[in-house]
Amino acid sequence: MFTALDLLTANDSPGQHAPSYYAATANWQTSHPSLHGSQSCDVCVVGGGYTGLSAALHLAERGLDVCLLEANRIGWGASGRNGGQVGSGQRVEQTVLEERHGKPHAKLLWDLAEESKALVKQLIARHDIACDYTPGVLHADHRRSFVEDTRDYVEHLRLAYGYEHIRFIDGDEIGELVGSPRYFGGALDTGAGHLHPLNFALGLGRAAESAGAKLFEETRVTGIEGEGRGQGRVTVKTDRGEVRADHLILACNGYLGRLDRKTAAHVMPINNFIVATEPFSPDEAAGIIRNNVAVADSKFVINYFRLSADRRLLFGGGENYGYRFPKDIRSFVRGPMLEIFPQLKDAALDYGWGGTLAITPKRMPYFARPAANVFTASGYSGHGVAMATLGGQILAEAVAGTAGRFEAFEKLGIPAFPGGDRLRFPLLVLAMTWFSLRDRLGI
C-alpha cells in the first residue's frame, strides 16, 4: 500500500518539464523521438538525468553503441529541478567518513569529490554549455552552538586535506554576506559553485548525442529481462518496444520505482520544493546575498538559496511528509523563505515547483552491480549535481572494464532500509517528523 504511488506521474504532466523557473529559461526544448520497435546496442542506459547523460556521453566517446531511454524529457527529474549547487566533498562530512571507513578511504572519497567538481567545469568548457556557472557556496549555521564545530571542520579540511578554497566566516561577516538575522557563522567555499541545472543537463544531452549516443524521450521502461540468468544480453522492455543490450545502466534515482527491487530497497525517494521570486534590482539582490554565492544552512531539513542570473531569489525549503506535492507550492515555501528573509514579505513569487530526489540510510550514493552486466548508481542525497555527473563517468568506466573508482563507492556497504522498498514511506514520515522536531528544538 505504501509503494503504489507512481512517482513518474503522481505530481507531474507526462512528457512536460515541471513549471519551474529553469524550464522557463531553458536554452532549448528537446525533441528526441520515442522508441518504437526493437533496438540493439552495446549499452542501454535508463534515465536522462546527470548520471545517465554522463554515462551515455562517456560511453559514446569510448566508441560504444549507446541507447538512452528517458520516460519523459531530458533533465526532467531532479537533474532539471534542483538547487543548482556544485558542492565540495561528499554529502557526509569527512570527519564522519574517517570514522566510518578509515582515513585512507575517506581521502579517496574526498579526491573523487574534487574530481566531480573538476569534471563539471571541464564539461561546461569543452561542450560550451551555457548554464551560468558561478563560484562560491556558503554554509550558514542557524545555531550559535554550531559555529565552533564549523571553525574546527574548516581547519580540518585545510590541514588534513590541503583544501585552501574554504575559510571560516564569523557572525559579523555572515551578516554582511547574507541579509538575514538567522545565521551566526559559517564557511565560505570558493572552490564550489552553482549553476542552472536544467541547462547543464540539456548540454550534457546534446554532447552525448553529438558523440553518437541515441537518445529516446517519452519512452518508459516497463520491465527488464535476462539479467543475471546466463543469457548474455539484457532485454529492456518499454511501453512501445524493446532494447537488447550487452550491458544495462540504471540511472533513475528517485524515479526508479520497482525496476530493480534490490536498488529500490537501498534508495528512498523524497520530495523537495523551490520558489523563484520576481527579479530584484542589483542593489536589492546584493542586500539579500552579497557576492552572488549560493547558501545552504545547517538545518537537517535544509534551507538552500541563491540568486539566478536575472537576480531572482531561488529558495528551496519546506517539510513534506508524503509523496504528493502540496497544492500550492508557492505558499508552502513562502513560510520558510520569510523566516530567513522577513523583508521579502511583499515580494512576488513567480514560480514554484517540486521534484523527487533520493537518499540512502548513510547519505552516501549507492553504487551496485545487481547482475554481472547491470550497473546502478543513485541516492546522491541532495549532493548530486557534481557527484551524479562523475557517477555517470564512473559507470562508463566500469562497463568498459575499469572498476577502481566504481569499487570505491561499492565498498561503502550502503545498507538497505529496514523492510526494503515496502516500508520506505512510513520510515520517511517518521524521519521527517523527528528531524523537523530536532530543527525546531535546536537538538
Side-chain angles (χ1 to χ4, degrees), residues 256-276:
L256 175 71
R258 289 188 170 181
L259 283 181
D260 181 68
R261 295 292 297 275
K262 181 180 178 182
T263 299
H266 291 77
V267 177
M268 179 189 291
I270 65 170
N271 293 335
N272 220 246
F273 308 97
I274 305 178
V275 295

Side-chain angles (χ1 to χ4, degrees), residues 153-234:
Y153 187 62
V154 167
E155 278 302 296
H156 187 67
L157 292 182
R158 295 176 69 90
L159 295 175
Y161 292 88
Y163 189 63
E164 299 292 334
H165 302 293
I166 193 168
R167 65 182 180 88
F168 174 73
I169 300 295
D170 64 20
D172 290 337
E173 187 173 2
I174 204 167
E176 296 173 0
L177 291 174
V178 181
S180 171
R182 298 296 183 182
Y183 299 121
F184 300 93
L188 178 60
D189 184 356
T190 55
H194 55 100
L195 49 69
H196 187 302
L198 178 55
N199 279 335
F200 179 57
L202 294 175
L204 289 181
R206 178 165 287 183
E209 186 176 39
S210 297
K214 295 186 287 289
L215 309 184
F216 296 95
E217 295 183 310
E218 296 189 84
T219 300
R220 179 166 183 166
V221 173
T222 57
I224 303 165
E225 298 177 357
E227 76 275 21
R229 300 175 186 174
Q231 299 178 20
R233 303 201 94 197
V234 177

Side-chain angles (χ1 to χ4, degrees), residues 220-338:
R220 179 166 183 166
V221 173
T222 57
I224 303 165
E225 298 177 357
E227 76 275 21
R229 300 175 186 174
Q231 299 178 20
R233 303 201 94 197
V234 177
T235 300
V236 181
K237 298 287 188 178
T238 75
D239 40 11
R240 292 183 292 273
E242 65 179 29
V243 176
R244 293 185 298 275
D246 296 323
H247 294 89
L248 170 64
I249 287 176
L250 295 173
C252 308
N253 208 38
Y255 295 94
L256 175 71
R258 289 188 170 181
L259 283 181
D260 181 68
R261 295 292 297 275
K262 181 180 178 182
T263 299
H266 291 77
V267 177
M268 179 189 291
I270 65 170
N271 293 335
N272 220 246
F273 308 97
I274 305 178
V275 295
T277 68
E278 61 186 320
F280 295 112
S281 71
D283 287 344
E284 289 171 333
I288 298 169
I289 305 174
R290 200 185 78 189
N291 297 340
N292 200 20
V293 299
V295 183
D297 71 19
S298 57
K299 285 190 172 184
F300 191 92
V301 184
I302 191 171
N303 293 312
Y304 54 95
F305 44 92
R306 65 190 184 91
L307 296 170
S308 64
D310 58 352
R311 299 186 301 277
R312 300 172 187 268
L313 178 65
L314 306 180
F315 188 98
E319 303 155 10
N320 183 242
Y321 297 86
Y323 287 127
R324 292 284 185 185
F325 289 177
K327 291 183 179 179
D328 186 349
I329 292 175
R330 298 181 205 188
S331 295
F332 183 79
V333 182
R334 182 183 288 275
M337 184 188 78
L338 293 183

